[in-house]
Amino acid sequence: MANILVVDDEFMIRKLLRKVLQINKHDVIEASDGIEALQRLSQTSLPDLIFMDYKMQKLSGFDCAKFIKKL
């Protein structure tokens, strides 16, 4: 079982990924944009895997990944 962060600005994409991952017994944390993802990461330990959309309005997946890499 892995801890997985799903970051996407589309609710249905997050919902689909969450369902598939939870069926396979993974713990899922969701965020709707890069800023929320960084906030969630500051509240918990680093996830084992991150699924992240590349294009999001507030903070892109690319820029968010740069911040996460520093953690």
Side-chain angles (χ1 to χ4, degrees), residues 8-18 30-32:
D8 199 302
D9 52 355
E10 300 236 4
F11 173 75
M12 293 305 292
I13 300 292
R14 290 194 320 268
K15 182 178 177 179
L16 176 66
L17 278 171
R18 181 184 61 223
E30 292 182 48
S32 60

Side-chain angles (χ1 to χ4, degrees), residues 38-62:
L38 292 174
Q39 291 170 343
R40 297 234 188 248
L41 288 175
S42 69
Q43 298 168 357
T44 62
S45 60
L46 290 176
D48 300 309
L49 179 68
I50 300 173
F51 285 104
M52 187 166 11
D53 187 6
Y54 178 73
K55 288 187 178 184
M56 294 180 285
Q57 290 185 356
K58 293 184 182 178
L59 182 65
S60 74
F62 184 75

